Amino acid sequence: MLKLAKPSQLVAGVRARAGGNKQRNVGRRPLQLGATLVIAPGDELLYSDFEDYAGDHADLDEVLAVLAR
C-alpha cells in the first residue's frame, strides 16, 4: 500500500483536480494498476511499461519510437 502512496501521486492528483478532473466512481478494484504493451505479430513483445502508482504512465515518445521501428 505504501508503494502506491508516493508524493508524485499526490502531485498528479492535485494537478488533475486543478485541471477540472474529478474521480466519481472507483469501481470494484480501485487499486489495480495498468500497463502499456506493444506486441508485434508472432507474439513478440516490443515494449512494456507497468505502472508503479496511479498516474504513472508510459513515456509516449518511447512508445512512438518503438512503433516507428
Side-chain angles (χ1 to χ4, degrees):
M1 188 68 172
L2 289 176
K3 187 175 181 181
L4 296 175
K6 292 185 176 186
S8 55
Q9 180 184 10
L10 179 61
V11 170
V14 169
R15 187 174 49 236
R17 183 76 170 146
N21 298 303
K22 183 177 180 182
Q23 185 173 358
R24 289 178 175 78
N25 183 3
V26 295
R28 294 183 335 177
R29 299 186 305 211
L31 298 179
Q32 181 176 359
L33 299 174
T36 300
L37 304 172
V38 177
I39 302 171
D43 295 333
E44 179 185 0
L45 180 63
L46 300 178
Y47 179 85
S48 65
D49 180 82
F50 298 91
E51 292 182 354
D52 292 323
Y53 55 90
D56 176 32
H57 303 295
D59 183 270
L60 186 56
D61 291 332
E62 289 180 11
V63 175
L64 293 174
V66 169
L67 292 172
R69 284 192 262 158

